[in-house]
């Protein structure tokens, strides 16, 4: 079904070798970003899943008695395609053609102020940073909107820095996602490319080396509160809200500027910079939970499948649909619902999603 060197393939997804590279074919095109993403249980299942519309996916989720979450099924996805979902998944995960291994170290429990003897069962059943720190409630509760820009990696990094700084230093300032998205690039930032994607781990390293200026949402422009607010307006990510629909085309990343975009802000760009103490990784459920409750929210990323777009409530688990890409978010807690454990995640598609 896949023709070597062809841009189109007919039939079910199959592996195809093009020169020295192995690609994965999905009903009509080659997935060049994730060449190793052929993990379907069968060719027939994969083809059927690719052809499902988001409306059909939502109905399948809601009809499944074993599903742990519910989906929106009200006609809002009639004109939504796989590509519309994928364009906001701007995080390079291992296997992506642009992924760069950053070799981020994992400190010991002792170095992070953690207790290595504690297991998951020894930790609280639930945790939510929005209710743990009164002075940081509004900061951690702020949900940003990346709009039609694949800047989730910059959002995840900047909001994690913002929230952790509030927890540790009682600093309630909001730090700029666009400072990261437009200026964190090249080898020192994992070759991140603004609205075209990047890596939040590399971005946190960049913040530690160069610092980051203040900056809120698009709606904060001209308020005089921050140096560089987000330039793209909030929009409706297939939600029932008063916001306009998100543009189908991606915004272009603004040029890196060492000037505050809000002329009424009292500080200059360089004087507004704040640096992080460093970047590190944690692995394992118990260690992640303990670091989260001890040191603050965490920048994380996961594989997004097209059914995630239809999420309404409950504990999300992949049900159907194909992989759309990598998406960076922020852990702010955990809990259990109807016997199913979950991570509490802050997304960057505004509060209406």
């Amino acid at each position: 079904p896949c023709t070597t060197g062809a841009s189109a393939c007919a039939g079910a997804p199959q592996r195809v070798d093009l020169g020295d590279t192995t690609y994965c074919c999905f009903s009509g095109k080659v997935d060049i970003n994730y060449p190793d993403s052929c993990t379907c249980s069968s060719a027939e299942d994969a083809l059927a899943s690719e052809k499902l519309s988001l409306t059909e996916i939502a109905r399948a989720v809601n009809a499944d008695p074993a599903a742990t979450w519910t989906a929106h099924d009200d006609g809002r996805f009639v004109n939504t395609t796989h590509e519309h979902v994928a364009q906001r998944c701007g995080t390079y995960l291992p296997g992506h053609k642009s992924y760069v291994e950053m070799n981020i170290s994992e400190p010991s429990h002792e170095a992070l102020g953690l207790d290595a003897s504690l297991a998951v069962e020894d930790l609280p059943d639930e945790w939510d940073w929005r209710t743990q720190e009164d002075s940081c409630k509004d900061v951690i509760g702020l949900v940003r909107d990346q709009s039609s820009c694949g800047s989730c990696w910059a959002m995840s990094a900047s909001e994690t820095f913002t929230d952790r700084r509030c927890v540790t230093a009682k600093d309630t300032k909001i730090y700029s996602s666009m400072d990261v998205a437009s200026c964190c690039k090249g080898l020192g930032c994992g070759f991140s490319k603004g609205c075209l994607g990047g890596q939040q781990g590399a971005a946190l390293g960049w913040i530690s080396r160069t610092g980051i200026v203040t900056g809120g949402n698009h709606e904060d422009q001209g308020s005089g509160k921050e140096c560089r607010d987000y330039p793209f307006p909030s929009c409706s990510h297939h939600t029932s809200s008063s916001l306009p629909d998100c543009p189908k085309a991606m915004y272009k990343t603004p040029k890196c500027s060492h000037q505050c975009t809000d002329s009424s802000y009292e500080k200059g760009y360089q004087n507004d910079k704040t640096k992080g103490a460093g970047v590190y990784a944690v692995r394992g459920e118990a260690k992640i939970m303990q670091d989260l409750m001890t040191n603050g929210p965490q920048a994380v990323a996961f594989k997004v499948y097209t059914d995630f777009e239809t999420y309404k409530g409950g504990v999300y688990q992949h049900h159907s649909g194909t992989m759309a890409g990598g998406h960076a978010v922020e852990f702010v807690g955990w809990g259990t619902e109807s016997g199913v454990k979950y991570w509490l995640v802050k997304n960057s598609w505004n509060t209406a999603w």
Side-chain angles (χ1 to χ4, degrees), residues 43-116:
E44 291 75 20
D45 289 345
L47 182 60
S49 182
E50 171 70 17
K51 285 186 173 180
L52 285 176
S53 69
L54 289 186
T55 298
E56 291 170 320
I57 287 174
R59 290 173 180 170
V61 171
N62 291 337
D64 186 353
T68 57
W69 57 287
T70 57
H72 286 288
D73 178 19
D74 53 9
R76 66 181 63 185
F77 303 114
V78 172
N79 297 315
T80 305
T81 66
H82 176 95
E83 287 70 23
H84 295 153
V85 179
Q87 71 178 9
R88 283 172 297 154
C89 298
T91 296
Y92 306 154
L93 299 177
H96 190 284
K97 63 176 183 177
S98 298
Y99 178 78
V100 177
E101 182 60 57
M102 301 305 297
N103 296 317
I104 298 173
S105 64
E106 180 179 2
S108 66
H109 283 76
E110 293 74 17
L112 296 173
L114 312 181
D115 186 346

Side-chain angles (χ1 to χ4, degrees), residues 129 139-140 142 144 152-168 171 173-177 180 200-201 203-204 207 212 276 278-280 291-292 295-301 328-332 346:
W129 266 113
V139 174
I140 297 175
L142 176 67
R144 309 192 190 202
C152 58
W153 61 279
M155 292 268 177
S156 173
S158 58
E159 66 189 11
T160 298
F161 176 81
T162 296
D163 295 349
R164 282 207 162 198
R165 185 164 173 79
C166 189
V167 169
T168 59
D171 178 6
K173 292 193 291 291
I174 307 300
Y175 288 90
S176 175
S177 297
V180 179
Q200 81 271 40
L204 286 167
I207 291 172
I212 180 176
V279 57
Y280 64 89
D291 178 71
L292 176 57
N295 297 316
Q298 301 161 331
V300 297
V329 291
E330 182 186 21
F331 276 172
V332 296
K346 180 162 67 171

Side-chain angles (χ1 to χ4, degrees), residues 145 152 183 301 304 346:
D145 189 349
C152 58
C183 296
V304 168
K346 180 162 67 171

Side-chain angles (χ1 to χ4, degrees), residues 180-342:
V180 179
S182 62
C183 296
C184 179
K185 53 189 176 182
L187 179 61
C189 200
F191 293 103
S192 297
K193 301 173 183 176
C195 287
L196 296 180
Q199 294 179 221
Q200 81 271 40
L204 286 167
W206 177 86
I207 291 172
S208 299
R209 294 190 305 274
T210 70
I212 180 176
V213 299
T214 56
N217 287 329
H218 174 80
E219 292 73 22
D220 296 318
Q221 288 186 340
S223 66
K225 296 188 298 182
E226 292 106 7
C227 172
R228 195 173 189 197
D229 295 318
Y230 200 66
F232 308 134
S234 296
C235 55
S236 175
H237 299 270
H238 307 295
T239 59
S240 298
S241 73
S242 59
L243 295 170
D245 290 341
C246 293
K248 292 288 192 295
M250 293 274 284
Y251 286 114
K252 292 184 178 179
T253 309
K255 291 183 179 180
C256 177
S257 172
H258 291 176
Q259 301 287 331
C260 291
T261 55
D262 192 334
S263 59
S264 60
Y265 185 59
E266 61 183 4
K267 289 184 179 180
Y269 180 87
Q270 291 298 339
N271 289 332
D272 198 50
K273 284 276 190 177
T274 300
K275 291 184 179 181
V279 57
Y280 64 89
V282 288
R283 295 174 177 83
E285 184 178 0
K287 191 174 183 181
I288 290 173
M289 292 170 69
Q290 198 179 161
D291 178 71
L292 176 57
M293 67 180 290
T294 303
N295 297 316
Q298 301 161 331
V300 297
F302 67 106
K303 291 180 179 179
V304 168
Y305 294 83
T306 45
D307 62 351
F308 183 69
E309 180 80 8
T310 72
Y311 174 81
K312 181 178 182 180
V315 181
Y316 171 78
Q317 299 180 75
H318 172 49
H319 186 277
S320 55
T322 55
M323 182 178 170
H327 188 45
V329 291
E330 182 186 21
F331 276 172
V332 296
W334 67 79
T336 304
E337 183 174 295
S338 301
V340 181
K341 294 195 294 186
Y342 64 81

Side-chain angles (χ1 to χ4, degrees), residues 38 56 118 122 245 335:
C38 274
E56 291 170 320
L118 295 180
D122 302 317
D245 290 341

